[in-house]
């Protein structure tokens, strides 16, 4: 089975979005660099609406490219799915998506896309690993990501920390209410307006 990595971009005070699910400046570094990154469907991925695709700094490019290249399946919650409309069936990385939701896939929604819906986090990870094989399962942080961590199903935590303080909003670890120990970071990369960190979960 591939590694299960809990990941997101976050503020220095631990938020992945504000109270209205807006990311503000958190994702600016994805679009302010000079090095293009190729995403899902071998096309430049762009969720900014600018049409310029993902372009990161040279300092971040190798890390982002190598991370995206290993992903087989993305696991996301229904809130994010609805916010981005499932990236219109073309995820930024990987070939498959598993959505944790008690509601089924919208009728007629992109039947060609490998999107699967699971009613709980354990079933979601099982399906994601089946689809990913030896490749990475990337879990989006937030409430669902926190539930997956609490269930003991996360192998690593990856954070792209942006120098901004939100003060309030949607937390990286959602509603996790007990301590979880991580190892010392085995990835520390200083990008431009972002710090990439990765930790293994201590067993």
């Amino acid at each position: 089975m591939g590694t299960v990595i809990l990941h997101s971009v976050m503020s220095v005070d631990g938020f992945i979005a504000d109270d209205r699910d807006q990311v503000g400046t958190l994702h600016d570094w994805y679009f302010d660099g000079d090095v293009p990154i190729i995403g899902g469907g071998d096309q430049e991925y762009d969720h900014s609406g600018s049409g310029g695709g993902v372009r990161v700094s040279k300092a971040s490019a190798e890390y982002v490219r190598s991370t995206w290249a290993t992903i087989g399946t993305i696991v996301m919650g229904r809130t994010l799915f609805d916010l981005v409309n499932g990236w219109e069936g073309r995820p930024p990385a990987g070939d498959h998506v598993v959505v944790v939701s008690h509601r089924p896939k919208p009728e007629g929604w992109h039947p060609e896309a490998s999107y699967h819906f699971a009613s709980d986090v354990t079933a979601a990870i099982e399906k994601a690993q089946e689809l990913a094989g030896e490749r990475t399962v990337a879990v989006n942080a937030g409430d669902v990501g926190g539930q997956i961590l609490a269930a003991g199903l996360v192998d690593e935590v990856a954070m792209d920390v942006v120098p901004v303080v939100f003060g309030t909003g949607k937390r990286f670890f959602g509603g996790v209410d007990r301590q979880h120990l991580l190892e010392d970071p085995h990835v520390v990369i200083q990008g431009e307006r972002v710090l990439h960190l990765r930790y293994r979960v201590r067993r």
Side-chain angles (χ1 to χ4, degrees):
M1 293 292 181
T3 303
V4 177
I5 299 178
L6 175 61
H7 170 259
S8 189
V9 182
M10 75 172 195
S11 65
V12 293
D13 54 343
F15 295 101
I16 60 173
D18 66 18
D19 291 316
R20 294 170 296 141
D21 290 308
Q22 301 299 306
V23 297
T25 60
L26 285 180
H27 292 183
D28 286 358
W29 66 274
Y30 270 129
F31 307 102
D32 289 344
D34 299 320
V35 183
I37 303 296
I38 304 302
D42 292 328
Q43 299 178 16
E44 285 188 70
Y45 176 63
D46 184 1
H47 66 202
S48 70
S50 67
V54 170
R55 293 180 176 272
V56 301
S57 69
K58 184 177 179 180
S60 294
E62 183 178 350
Y63 174 72
V64 173
R65 279 187 180 139
S66 62
T67 298
W68 286 19
T70 65
I71 294 171
T73 306
I74 291 175
V75 177
M76 66 194 306
R78 185 60 182 252
T79 298
L80 180 58
F81 175 87
D82 288 341
L83 280 171
V84 300
N85 195 30
W87 302 297
E88 298 298 341
R90 295 170 51 227
D95 301 312
H96 315 280
V97 173
V98 177
V99 181
V100 181
S101 176
H102 293 295
R103 290 179 286 141
K105 183 191 299 188
E107 187 174 350
W109 185 88
H110 292 285
E112 78 288 352
S114 181
Y115 277 57
H116 308 264
F117 285 61
S119 60
D120 64 76
V121 296
T122 301
I125 293 298
E126 287 176 356
K127 184 63 177 180
Q129 289 184 314
E130 173 193 327
L131 293 166
E134 296 301 315
R135 300 177 72 191
T136 299
V137 172
V139 176
N140 282 336
D143 286 335
V144 166
Q147 292 173 37
I148 293 171
L149 176 70
L153 300 172
V154 172
D155 300 309
E156 296 185 19
V157 173
M159 303 171 170
D160 301 315
V161 184
V162 174
V164 60
V165 176
F166 270 33
T168 185
K170 304 300 176 69
R171 296 186 177 278
F172 184 100
F173 292 105
V176 167
D177 60 0
R178 70 175 182 84
Q179 188 177 89
H180 295 266
L181 291 177
L182 309 178
E183 301 293 349
D184 290 336
H186 61 280
V187 173
V188 180
I189 298 172
Q190 176 65 62
E192 294 179 14
R193 301 296 296 168
V194 64
L195 176 65
H196 307 289
L197 300 171
R198 188 175 291 188
Y199 306 82
R200 294 185 180 91
V201 176
R202 182 172 290 184
R203 301 299 190 192

